[in-house]
Amino acid sequence: MNKKWHLIKRVSPAIGLLSLLCLSLPSAMAFSLQDVAQQAKVLSEKPYVKPQSHLPNEYKNLSYADYQKIYFNYDKNYWKNDNLMFMLQFYHQGSYFDTPVKINEIINNKVSPIQYSADYFDTRAINQQEPKDSQLGFAGFKVQFPINQSKKRDDEIFSALGASYFRVVGKGQVYGLSARALAIDTGLMSGEEFPHFSEFWLEKPKAKQKYLVIYALLDSPRVTGAYKFILRPNNEMVIDVESQLYFRDGIEKLGIAPLTSMFLYGKNQPAITPNYRPAIHDSNGLSILTTDNRWIWRPLNNPQKLSFSNFNLDNPKGFGLIQRDDGFSDYQDLDDRYDLRPSAWIEALSPWGKGHVELIEIPTPDETNDNIVSFWVPEKHYGKGDQFSIKYRLHFMLNEAGRYPANIAYAKETLYSLGDVKQANLVRKLDGSVSYVIDFVGKDLALIPKDKSVKPFINISDNGEVVGSKVIYNPVTKGWRVILRFKVKDAAKATEIYVSLLSNDGKDKLLSETWNAQYPAK
């Protein structure tokens, strides 16, 4: 007798019946990133289909200002009557946002589409009456949570609208810079490709649950992707991001965890035209933390020419676009409140390998244009059929100084001036140089007695020449000020400058981040 057959025959009839029943029951597996990843993989094996717009011209031709006059009816807030911490609102299609996005709800692992209804929206301000049976579809959505007042649930904390862009705020913050899922060939002469989220899945939270899980399907001519976002609202807004990408074709420049911001002018690059506002920017610097715990600070510019800066790294711990100036007096702007716009810090949660953090600065004449882009570019190039996965954590915060350990000072201020020298009669005379004044502050730095000097380490690229420098104690900040004067050899070329503080005790211990400014070409 066949031994295997004999063993099967000896199984209890009851057990056999139970096995058959188990096989016939539907799977109760939880919805996960892999469900979206499977869709992305299948999609990547098919030709790209450009999303079609069926939006009537009366909505498609709206100016952006008029588009903003389409309001969501508060009484229709999704989950409003479910006694949850979170609520949802949706965006109407219109203006630039003229293609529909599918939005689904996950309840007990069951997926159901959130049906579009014209009743969600108030279009009276643009003199439009949408048919009750309209099936236009949503352009995106926003998430609300009681971030500022415990009983006020309609504070907006997250907005997903347009391509793969999303914006986030925490307690006491206002919208500033934007994040994106992916950047493709940004800044290349071939032109940028903008991936878009075509579908979302939102897990309906339980009562008193203080986090929200969102899944998204990304599509683009050369890549598809699955994304998982976990939103954790607090004083510092935190989003855990996990993604899996599938390539339809090769990409020359793959931008991971892109951030998009605006820098018009600031203390390191004052306004050309006099303005009562000392600065206008959503961010004023790029911050990087290397794998060996070295900190880099790069003040932003509004250049006259398109500018690229690359920071080659192996497994960086993080990078971000930072709003370091955080006081109202830094901006004097009551309308736009740049002092309340958050910094965005990206923390690597998995090894990123070799590559570089790229910074692109684009000339802009006004504050309406996002002219700053930064992202991680892997050294490896990906081609058709390849896959790529990554994990990181986004922090949106106002307390930027809290990122630094006590033993690392940071450049709190970067001030620009024409260089001068004090004469015997105490009158200052311009000497044809330009000057940066850098104020370093830090917890341990403040403990160094003012009679115990520190020294600067200064390096400048071949296009510049240092003509004078000094470091002096700043009793106001309990830190140290570096005053640097230099001359530029060729104004048509950019000049790189590096400054850091060292102990002056013979050990040359690094006391600060590396301040790396680029004096822009003209």
Side-chain angles (χ1 to χ4, degrees), residues 38-283:
Q38 182 60 32
Q39 291 193 41
K41 186 176 187 302
V42 171
L43 194 61
S44 71
E45 296 165 352
K46 300 177 181 179
Y48 174 69
V49 178
K50 185 178 179 180
Q52 297 297 310
S53 174
H54 302 288
L55 194 64
N57 286 335
E58 55 265 31
Y59 289 106
K60 186 178 293 187
N61 296 333
L62 286 175
S63 68
Y64 184 66
D66 283 339
Y67 173 71
Q68 291 180 305
K69 295 176 183 178
I70 301 177
Y71 301 108
F72 191 88
N73 290 319
Y74 178 79
D75 289 342
K76 299 290 185 178
N77 275 18
Y78 212 74
W79 298 337
K80 180 181 178 182
N81 300 319
D82 293 335
N83 195 30
L84 304 178
M85 301 288 286
F86 294 90
M87 294 192 299
L88 303 177
Q89 290 188 352
F90 307 108
Y91 286 108
H92 197 285
Q93 289 187 70
S95 187
Y96 309 116
F97 315 109
D98 61 355
T99 53
V101 175
K102 297 178 182 178
I103 303 177
N104 304 287
E105 180 181 23
I106 305 170
I107 303 177
N108 297 325
N109 299 315
K110 181 181 179 181
V111 175
S112 301
I114 298 177
Q115 298 296 336
Y116 176 85
S117 172
D119 290 340
Y120 282 127
F121 302 100
D122 182 348
T123 57
R124 289 175 295 178
I126 59 170
N127 298 315
Q128 294 296 329
Q129 183 71 34
E130 191 172 342
K132 292 291 185 181
D133 59 352
S134 171
Q135 293 298 316
L136 283 181
F138 303 114
F141 68 97
K142 62 182 72 172
V143 178
Q144 298 173 314
F145 183 88
I147 194 73
N148 294 310
Q149 300 179 41
S150 60
K151 295 183 179 180
K152 187 175 181 291
R153 291 196 295 156
D154 58 354
D155 290 328
E156 189 175 328
I157 61 167
F158 179 93
S159 173
L161 178 66
S164 68
Y165 285 85
F166 57 95
R167 296 200 297 170
V168 186
V169 288
K171 185 175 183 179
Q173 302 171 13
V174 301
Y175 280 136
L177 79 173
S178 302
R180 280 193 270 170
L182 199 66
I184 298 177
D185 290 349
T186 307
L188 297 186
M189 293 297 293
S190 58
E192 182 170 2
E193 180 175 310
F194 287 91
H196 64 276
F197 285 135
S198 60
E199 189 166 2
F200 291 96
W201 294 261
L202 293 89
E203 281 189 5
K204 185 174 182 179
K206 296 178 172 54
K208 299 184 179 180
Q209 181 175 310
K210 294 184 178 181
Y211 67 90
L212 182 67
V213 179
I214 301 171
Y215 300 94
L217 178 65
L218 185 92
D219 196 13
S220 195
R222 287 179 287 170
V223 66
T224 66
Y227 282 77
K228 180 180 181 180
F229 303 94
I230 304 178
L231 279 61
R232 304 183 192 277
N234 210 318
N235 293 346
E236 176 183 295
M237 182 71 173
V238 176
I239 302 181
D240 287 347
V241 182
E242 183 177 359
S243 69
Q244 296 183 24
L245 302 179
Y246 301 88
F247 294 85
R248 283 191 173 107
D249 205 346
I251 292 175
E252 185 173 348
K253 185 195 293 185
L254 181 67
I256 301 298
L259 297 172
T260 302
S261 191
M262 179 277 294
F263 180 91
L264 184 62
Y265 63 82
K267 296 174 185 177
N268 63 300
Q269 189 184 27
I272 298 174
T273 303
N275 194 302
Y276 74 92
R277 297 174 293 178
I280 296 179
H281 49 69
D282 290 337
S283 311

Side-chain angles (χ1 to χ4, degrees), residues 256-484:
I256 301 298
L259 297 172
T260 302
S261 191
M262 179 277 294
F263 180 91
L264 184 62
Y265 63 82
K267 296 174 185 177
N268 63 300
Q269 189 184 27
I272 298 174
T273 303
N275 194 302
Y276 74 92
R277 297 174 293 178
I280 296 179
H281 49 69
D282 290 337
S283 311
N284 67 335
L286 168 67
S287 180
I288 298 171
L289 178 59
T290 69
T291 190
D292 55 352
N293 294 317
R294 290 184 297 111
W295 293 83
I296 300 169
W297 174 250
R298 167 68 157 74
L300 299 178
N301 292 315
N302 179 6
Q304 294 185 23
K305 304 175 182 178
L306 182 65
S307 175
F308 296 85
S309 299
N310 293 342
F311 300 83
N312 295 319
L313 300 166
D314 188 356
N315 286 318
K317 290 187 175 180
F319 75 96
L321 291 176
I322 307 299
Q323 186 76 314
R324 185 159 280 184
D325 292 340
D326 55 6
F328 175 75
S329 61
D330 292 317
Y331 306 95
Q332 294 290 342
D333 195 319
L334 287 171
D335 292 325
D336 294 316
R337 296 307 303 268
Y338 291 102
D339 56 307
L340 299 180
R341 302 196 177 198
S343 299
W345 176 251
I346 296 169
E347 173 191 358
L349 296 181
S350 60
W352 284 15
K354 291 184 177 182
H356 67 264
V357 173
E358 184 162 325
L359 173 66
I360 302 176
E361 296 164 305
I362 306 165
T364 183
D366 57 59
E367 64 265 44
T368 63
N369 299 311
D370 283 341
N371 65 319
I372 305 295
V373 187
S374 187
F375 43 76
W376 169 255
V377 181
E379 183 179 78
K380 179 180 177 181
H381 284 265
Y382 292 87
K384 182 177 181 180
D386 286 343
Q387 300 180 18
F388 175 85
S389 61
I390 198 165
K391 295 180 182 179
Y392 57 92
R393 179 171 292 152
L394 270 164
H395 302 259
F396 290 82
M397 57 199 169
L398 293 178
N399 182 25
E400 189 266 333
R403 296 184 303 119
Y404 285 87
N407 64 335
I408 296 295
Y410 63 96
K412 176 62 178 173
E413 298 282 5
T414 299
L415 310 173
Y416 170 81
S417 177
L418 296 178
D420 58 32
V421 292
K422 188 183 289 186
Q423 302 176 103
N425 61 0
L426 303 184
V427 175
R428 293 184 177 273
K429 181 181 179 181
L430 297 178
D431 65 353
S433 69
V434 291
S435 177
Y436 281 123
V437 178
I438 312 147
D439 270 323
F440 287 97
V441 299
K443 292 181 180 179
D444 286 3
L445 194 68
L447 301 177
I448 299 176
K450 60 182 178 181
D451 58 342
K452 300 289 186 182
S453 66
V454 300
K455 64 181 182 180
F457 173 81
I458 299 172
N459 192 12
I460 193 166
S461 63
D462 292 341
N463 195 49
E465 177 187 1
V466 176
V467 298
S469 68
K470 60 181 177 180
V471 58
I472 56 178
Y473 179 73
N474 186 335
V476 177
T477 64
K478 302 295 190 297
W480 296 81
R481 171 171 287 186
V482 176
I483 302 175
L484 170 68

